[in-house]
Amino acid sequence: MMITKRLSLILLCLFALNVYSQDHEKTILKTFHSISSHDLLNDAAELTLPKYGGRLSGSPGYQAAAQWVADQLKQAGVKPGLNDGSYLQYFPNAYSDVLTPGSVTLLAGKNNAKKDYKFPDDYFPGSNSATGTVFGEIVYVGFGISAPELGYDDYKDIDIKGKILLMETGVPYTGNDSILQKWEKYSYHRYKFQRAKELGAAGLLYVGKVANPNTSYLEGFVYAHISEQVAEELLDGTNKKYAELSSAIKKSLQPNSFTLNKKVQISAKTKHFPDSRSCNVVGIIEGSDPKLKAEAIILGAHLDAVGSPGCLFPGALDNGSGSVDILAAARALAASEVKPARTVIFVFFGGEECGLYGSKKCVESPVWPKEKVLCMINLDMVGNGTGFHLSNGKSYPDLFRPFAEKNKKYLHRELNSSEYRINYGRPRTDAAVFDKAGYRTLSLWTSGTVKTVYYHHPLDNTDALTPEIMEDAAKLLYLGILDLASDETISAR
Ligand SMILES: [Zn+2]
């Protein structure tokens, strides 16, 4: 008799527990289903409006976009993330407005026949070019590096005074090991510009048509980014093929600089703002568990893009997509009846494209004690594809597990991961800045690209997005973070 009573009590408890967990799940799914691709696309359309000018960090357009995000967080009931009750965390951020597309003109042959290259098909104006017109003979200078301690000098035995340089980005060393560390300081565009200027170059044709504000503004130094096809064309009549040049230097680690016997003219019109500032937008949802709320999960995405160098570069995929995804996750977590047990902090970084200024500010002036941060999850380019990649998950299986489980149960997308790998080169994402500062990070991006990727390009607009994957990314974050926030088997280090 006694045994039967006890058994029925246990069964009753199990039944109650089951009803509870079913209700709990139903409550969570109610919010889950409220996340829609339609809303995400609308938000991405907002952030890519001309009034934000392509969200160049430091500019009034970026500032307006940051204010829009702060207003959205406030409306959603997400609290300001800074101690002074503000959503905006400021830092210095010089920038330049590119006022016209400028021009790039080749003069070649006996009669100096002119060829005008076209914007935006052939070239982009330099985001931090000086204003003016420069004209001179073209000199190919490889990677534009003088590294005596590495026995490498692209400028050895070549005069570049008053010349226009044709230069590669990056460094000739291709390994990812401690030797790359020695090359790191030479990989910055700013170093290359400075070096070219101090040796007397008049201007620069930088190979790779990628608008990039992560460069220096130098008085009188005019430059443009050209496509590889244009570089190939500039080498016509020499016995060299552009495509083979940089790979030969990389293979031999021997410079190969030479004069092209052709002239080029570059014009640019810009306005530089050396004393500007920019900001991160930071929101916070305090944890619901009295003990666990002392620990936080940081969810980050850069809000800034590359501005309007010659025309609007909308920055929809890079990184309107990540921004609207963490905004959707913030709205869902704030609206959810089931609250995250740990604290969740949302950071929309500024200054990423200018040199990771926003994430550097965030690790220098943390809004939450570092030792109480469980992990930082970064989103960059999460709006074009059919699957997900959540990097570092193989090194942090406890952090990865909730996302893998929720994906398997509710989203059924391909979800891959990878081991954490030290990067010996220069950090190129906000996540890398947190990695370097000793945080555990996961980075989410979309895989299985469906549409053409227009990286730092005028066509990176909302047509370049696949909204369904953005919806699923926000859903994955909502479910995964709820789980991660309440998991007592893991803790901040
Ligand atoms: Zn990006």
Side-chain angles (χ1 to χ4, degrees):
M1 190 65 185
M2 213 42 203
I3 291 169
T4 326
K5 242 187 187 173
R6 207 175 274 170
L7 192 66
S8 50
L9 200 66
I10 290 170
L11 284 175
L12 192 70
C13 281
L14 281 175
F15 176 73
L17 205 67
N18 194 28
V19 168
Y20 166 80
S21 74
Q22 274 177 13
D23 281 355
H24 184 80
E25 188 151 324
K26 264 189 203 156
T27 312
I28 291 174
L29 287 182
K30 219 164 63 186
T31 307
F32 172 84
H33 288 300
S34 75
I35 298 172
S36 91
S37 57
H38 181 76
D39 293 344
L40 282 152
L41 196 58
N42 271 346
D43 286 346
E46 171 74 27
L47 287 178
T48 51
L49 287 174
K51 67 176 175 181
Y52 301 124
R55 307 189 307 282
L56 177 62
S57 195
S59 72
Y62 174 83
Q63 196 58 43
Q67 192 55 56
W68 181 81
V69 170
D71 292 345
Q72 298 304 306
L73 292 175
K74 191 173 179 186
Q75 271 172 35
V78 177
K79 299 227 164 68
L82 300 187
N83 284 337
D84 64 359
S86 153
Y87 289 98
L88 307 181
Q89 183 182 37
Y90 281 95
F91 49 85
N93 193 145
Y95 77 99
S96 307
D97 264 342
V98 178
L99 303 174
T100 69
S103 63
V104 175
T105 306
L106 173 70
L107 293 100
K110 279 189 199 124
N111 309 321
N112 271 347
K114 276 190 183 180
K115 171 160 187 182
D116 283 319
Y117 287 109
K118 300 268 177 291
F119 167 81
D121 295 339
D122 301 325
Y123 77 94
F124 292 161
S127 294
N128 282 302
S129 178
T131 292
T133 297
V134 293
F135 172 72
E137 204 172 4
I138 307 171
V139 181
Y140 178 78
V141 292
F143 292 85
I145 291 171
S146 299
E149 77 284 15
L150 295 168
Y152 184 92
D153 188 0
D154 283 307
Y155 295 112
K156 191 169 173 271
D157 305 326
I158 191 131
D159 179 18
I160 62 155
K161 259 203 189 82
K163 307 281 170 70
I164 309 284
L165 309 185
L166 177 62
M167 192 193 286
E168 314 280 354
T169 59
V171 297
Y173 188 76
T174 53
N176 180 38
D177 52 28
S178 55
I179 298 172
L180 185 63
Q181 231 164 4
K182 296 179 184 158
W183 288 90
E184 187 199 331
K185 63 180 174 189
Y186 301 111
S187 69
Y188 292 86
H189 308 306
R190 290 186 166 101
Y191 157 78
K192 294 176 179 229
F193 283 30
Q194 196 69 48
R195 181 69 183 144
K197 174 106 199 293
E198 82 195 11
L199 292 174
L204 167 70
L205 296 172
Y206 215 9
V207 186
K209 210 184 57 172
V210 175
N212 194 345
N214 182 10
T215 51
S216 312
Y217 176 89
L218 300 171
E219 207 57 57
F221 192 72
V222 176
Y223 76 97
H225 304 271
I226 56 165
S227 68
E228 295 199 4
Q229 290 94 305
V230 170
E232 191 70 71
E233 211 177 296
L234 295 178
L235 286 162
D236 266 359
T238 70
N239 56 356
K240 302 178 197 290
K241 287 253 166 281
Y242 170 72
E244 292 160 10
L245 281 175
S246 71
S247 49
I249 299 174
K250 284 175 179 169
K251 214 171 152 196
S252 65
L253 274 181
Q254 293 300 317
N256 178 19
S257 302
F258 56 92
T259 300
L260 270 69
N261 294 319
K262 280 178 192 163
K263 288 177 178 161
V264 74
Q265 177 177 296
I266 317 172
S267 290
K269 194 168 182 194
T270 62
K271 187 167 167 43
H272 187 56
F273 298 88
D275 302 317
S276 192
R277 62 176 190 161
S278 190
C279 61
N280 297 322
V281 187
V282 189
I284 188 165
I285 296 178
E286 199 182 304
S288 60
D289 182 90
K291 202 170 104 244
L292 287 176
K293 72 176 187 184
E295 294 186 347
I297 296 165
I298 298 177
L299 191 54
H302 74 86
L303 174 65
D304 68 312
V306 298
S308 300
C311 67
L312 180 70
F313 285 48
L317 177 62
D318 185 13
N319 185 31
S321 60
S323 301
V324 301
D325 262 331
I326 69 167
L327 183 57
R331 286 192 187 117
L333 287 164
S336 179
E337 282 175 49
V338 177
K339 299 288 179 204
R342 287 187 172 89
T343 295
V344 185
I345 299 170
F346 306 88
V347 190
F348 300 77
F349 298 110
E352 195 263 2
E353 303 289 5
C354 300
L356 309 169
Y357 295 162
S359 44
K360 284 176 184 164
K361 174 73 187 176
C362 225
V363 300
E364 282 158 16
S365 314
V367 295
W368 204 259
K370 182 176 144 188
E371 65 282 2
K372 296 279 182 198
V373 174
L374 191 72
C375 65
M376 186 267 189
I377 303 170
N378 194 52
L379 273 75
D380 204 344
M381 300 176 74
V382 281
N384 179 4
T386 53
F388 296 116
H389 186 94
L390 192 56
S391 75
N392 296 353
K394 286 191 175 164
S395 298
Y396 310 131
D398 292 348
L399 301 177
F400 181 67
R401 193 190 329 110
F403 297 97
E405 282 175 5
K406 296 302 174 188
N407 177 59
K408 195 172 170 200
K409 189 159 180 194
Y410 296 107
L411 296 164
H412 325 292
R413 296 280 188 176
E414 187 174 324
L415 171 62
N416 291 310
S417 192
S418 48
E419 298 264 356
Y420 171 71
R421 219 168 134 245
I422 293 179
N423 169 26
Y424 290 98
R426 91 183 142 94
R428 298 184 67 164
T429 65
D430 293 315
V433 172
F434 278 78
D435 275 333
K436 270 203 158 173
Y439 292 81
R440 285 183 294 192
T441 70
L442 298 171
S443 289
L444 182 69
W445 63 82
T446 40
S447 60
T449 304
V450 174
K451 295 185 170 176
T452 306
V453 176
Y454 292 104
Y455 183 65
H456 292 198
H457 192 284
L459 292 179
D460 184 13
N461 54 38
T462 49
D463 290 342
L465 301 173
T466 52
E468 322 78 56
I469 197 73
M470 289 161 62
E471 174 183 312
D472 280 4
K475 285 177 164 173
L476 183 68
L477 290 173
Y478 167 64
L479 294 179
I481 285 175
L482 265 188
D483 244 30
L484 194 59
S486 62
D487 190 339
E488 295 197 55
T489 65
I490 49 174
S491 64
R493 291 177 294 186

